[in-house]
Amino acid sequence: MPDYHDDLRLAQVLADAADSATMERFKALDLKVETKPDMTPVSEADKAAEELIRSSLQRARPRDAVLGEEFGSEGSGPRRWVIDPIDGTKNYVRGVPVWATLIALMERGEGGDRPVVGMVSAPALGRRWWAAEGLGAYTGRNLSSASRISVSKVNTLSDASFGYASLGGWEERGKLSGFLDLTRACWRTRGYGDFWPYMMVAEGAIDLCAEPELSLWDMAANAVIVQEAGGRFTGLDGKPGPHSGDAAASNGLLHDELLKHLQ
């Protein structure tokens, strides 16, 4: 099995640089925000963080490809870094501290590209999570000061806590009825949104979560962290990994029931 320790160390360095750039402009009164063609916001901090990560990767991993939310795809080959410089930009521009930089390394194999390293850094929350294939999932301030995390053992929906982003996306895709049935079946539901519910699934704070519309950069880092914590990460179609354009994550014990409601 490949050794991803060096890639994890690099991901930590990349996250440190991104955190400095994003925190410097968080809650800045003169923060510049634009609207992208898909009508979602992008701030100067999104662009600055991705540029920092790309320039660092160009020096440290010049042969690796890069895909980022703000500047697209660059390079080719069996290894590709996937970047979301600020996951939760709408929170960021309003001063809500629930946002993070997502960094993943994907490798090409027989079954296609799969995430093998994931880093999620949420500096405004003072939290960071990471994982690498075969090495487990962790949370902490850095690689030398970390605690291993694992999913919950809740095995019935009536005892489960379910995290989601919003109602609108489910309604637009004709899945609102199943979504509402799921919320009624669960013990507790909360609209945490973005990266956070996946990290809470990974550390056992909640038991399942799902979103109806996502891009690869929204999911790649989350997928490997949930999986290395002992959970399952699939599309709503049940296919493993972050390629389905939507996502369902759980402790594994509840995954089939989760998919049954949302399909």
Side-chain angles (χ1 to χ4, degrees):
M1 180 175 291
D3 185 343
Y4 296 109
H5 283 95
D6 285 347
D7 296 307
L8 264 180
R9 283 190 283 269
L10 175 57
Q12 288 276 354
V13 172
L14 299 175
D16 287 343
D19 287 355
S20 295
T22 53
M23 286 301 292
E24 182 179 359
R25 300 299 292 154
F26 184 49
K27 295 187 178 181
L29 296 178
D30 60 344
L31 180 71
K32 296 177 181 178
V33 182
E34 303 170 5
T35 301
K36 294 191 286 189
D38 63 0
M39 302 307 293
T40 60
V42 58
S43 74
E44 61 183 270
D46 290 83
K47 295 179 178 180
E50 184 168 324
E51 286 173 337
L52 275 173
I53 294 171
R54 284 176 176 270
S55 63
S56 296
L57 286 171
Q58 182 59 40
R59 293 191 298 271
R61 298 285 192 276
R63 296 182 179 179
D64 292 353
V66 180
L67 171 66
E69 179 177 11
E70 306 308 335
F71 297 107
S73 183
E74 182 179 3
S76 61
R79 287 167 48 102
R80 178 171 60 161
W81 295 86
V82 180
I83 306 159
D84 189 344
I86 300 179
D87 182 50
T89 297
K90 292 177 182 177
N91 281 347
Y92 184 88
V93 301
R94 289 296 302 270
V96 179
V98 183
W99 50 270
T101 295
L102 278 54
I103 302 168
L105 172 63
M106 303 190 71
E107 280 195 348
R108 190 169 302 153
E110 291 183 4
D113 290 356
R114 72 188 191 285
V116 295
V117 172
M119 174 70 61
V120 174
S121 187
L125 294 177
R127 298 295 309 276
R128 185 176 286 187
W129 303 261
W130 62 87
E133 188 175 83
L135 298 178
Y138 298 83
T139 185
R141 299 186 65 84
N142 52 57
L143 293 180
S144 60
S145 177
S147 301
R148 190 160 186 170
I149 57 176
S150 62
V151 297
S152 73
K153 296 186 181 340
V154 173
N155 61 8
T156 59
L157 280 181
S158 60
D159 294 328
S161 183
F162 171 55
Y164 63 94
S166 67
L167 297 178
W170 300 104
E171 186 172 25
E172 291 168 8
R173 281 152 192 79
K175 296 180 180 291
L176 184 59
S177 178
F179 173 84
L180 292 175
D181 286 344
L182 175 61
T183 65
R184 295 183 187 108
C186 291
W187 165 65
R188 191 168 190 259
T189 61
R190 286 293 183 272
Y192 301 106
D194 302 309
F195 70 95
W196 205 10
Y198 301 97
M199 297 304 98
M200 286 192 280
V201 167
E203 59 188 10
I206 68 174
D207 312 298
L208 59 165
C209 66
E211 289 184 272
E213 183 181 19
L214 294 165
S215 298
L216 181 60
W217 48 74
D218 297 312
M219 298 183 283
N222 296 336
V224 64
I225 294 172
V226 168
Q227 290 166 347
E228 285 296 315
R232 283 182 66 188
F233 189 105
T234 72
L236 298 179
D237 55 10
K239 294 180 180 178
H243 297 287
S244 296
D246 45 41
S250 76
N251 62 5
L253 301 173
L254 300 168
H255 207 82
D256 290 341
E257 289 185 84
L258 171 63
L259 294 178
K260 182 179 178 180
H261 278 87
L262 298 181
Q263 288 175 344

